[in-house]
Amino acid sequence: MSGTNAFNLAGRLALVTGSSQGIGFALARGLADAGARIVLNGRRPDALADAAVRIGAACVAPGYGLGLFDVTDPDAVEAGIARIEQEAGPIEILVNNAGIQRRQPLDEFPVETWREVMRTNLDSVFFVGQAVAKRMIPRGHGKIINIASLQSEAARSTIAPYTASKGAVKMLTKGMCADWARHGLQINAIGPGYFETELNRKLRDDPEFHAWLCKRTPAGRWGKVEELCGTAVFLASSASDFVNGQVIYVDGGVLSVL
């Protein structure tokens, strides 16, 4: 394929974890707009049902029910991926998006909350990535997109566990490439900067932080979640067939300046 046809996702099945809202939902809708068939994922049936309605016909029947599993539970992941492949077809695109944020000074950070962050932000990428990849490998092709972060490269106070988890996602992406690229898989990551999401609502509503961020970001503003979709479509499509083990930062230029 060449030209704009290389970005066409028509008919390809995409699973997006943590996709009932925020970045995950935006990415699912962006992939759907490029022609992909979408399986949403989450743990709340009501939220997934609402998201399925908003995605529309691109959401694979029976819709949200297919992706209703906990990505931090390896047994639930294996059962969920097996069901999707049996009922909807082979997963050709995986977006590992599920993630949480917990803010607290590191010296006061509870051990169980640390484990919660790691389970959700890092373990899930391994569990779902492995379950999907072992099915992609015999087929000889597949796209895996992990959602890293600006914090894969830069730290801020009170979010050290999140920073640690996203730094690990960056390196896990490279490790997946090292093991799976030879089988025809492309594994890359997107590193969002600061976007207007529920996860960042408190920061967005803080006048001091908002002013600091706009001054710190060369683009002078917060990102809109829809601005991540072009990168996702590129990494999910044939246009990126020789791109592997990379993190593409979509951050308005934050990492480019001191």
Side-chain angles (χ1 to χ4, degrees), residues 42-254:
R43 290 183 290 186
R44 290 179 46 209
D46 55 339
L48 282 181
D50 179 65
V53 169
R54 288 184 286 151
I55 290 286
C59 189
V60 175
Y64 69 89
L66 275 179
L68 189 63
F69 59 86
D70 182 354
V71 295
T72 70
D73 179 341
D75 293 332
V77 167
E78 176 58 32
I81 298 304
R83 182 184 174 195
I84 291 168
E85 294 241 339
Q86 180 178 4
E87 296 188 19
I91 297 169
E92 297 180 80
I93 301 162
L94 166 64
V95 181
N96 276 312
N97 167 77
I100 60 172
Q101 175 66 285
R102 299 288 184 262
R103 293 183 172 89
Q104 194 167 345
L106 187 58
D107 50 297
E108 301 172 9
F109 210 88
V111 170
E112 185 48 45
T113 307
W114 166 275
R115 290 174 177 155
E116 178 192 23
V117 171
M118 294 301 163
R119 283 194 302 268
T120 306
N121 294 0
L122 178 60
D123 292 356
S124 70
V125 177
F126 169 64
F127 296 152
V128 183
Q130 184 188 61
V132 171
K134 72 181 185 181
R135 292 167 168 86
M136 289 177 167
I137 286 170
R139 298 192 285 259
H141 63 92
K143 303 280 186 173
I144 297 177
I145 304 167
N146 299 326
I147 303 304
S149 171
L150 169 66
Q151 268 75 47
S152 296
E153 301 289 349
R156 290 189 63 252
S157 64
T158 74
I159 60 167
Y162 181 86
T163 301
S165 70
K166 290 300 185 176
V169 167
K170 177 185 76 169
M171 295 311 298
L172 181 56
T173 299
K174 294 179 182 294
M176 288 176 168
C177 168
D179 274 20
W180 299 338
R182 66 177 65 95
H183 300 293
L185 279 60
Q186 289 84 50
I187 307 94
N188 295 286
I190 299 173
Y194 284 93
F195 282 76
E196 294 179 337
T197 66
E198 284 298 314
L199 202 65
N200 284 327
R201 178 176 291 277
K202 288 184 178 179
L203 295 179
R204 179 64 180 82
D205 292 343
D206 181 336
E208 183 178 353
F209 185 87
H210 173 71
W212 173 85
L213 179 69
C214 291
K215 183 177 180 181
R216 175 70 176 77
T217 305
R221 62 176 177 84
W222 291 74
K224 302 180 186 303
V225 289
E226 295 78 13
E227 293 175 306
L228 293 164
C229 293
T231 305
V233 170
F234 166 64
L235 292 177
S237 72
S238 299
S240 62
D241 280 353
F242 204 56
V243 179
N244 230 323
Q246 303 301 308
V247 182
I248 300 178
Y249 292 98
V250 184
D251 66 355
V254 171

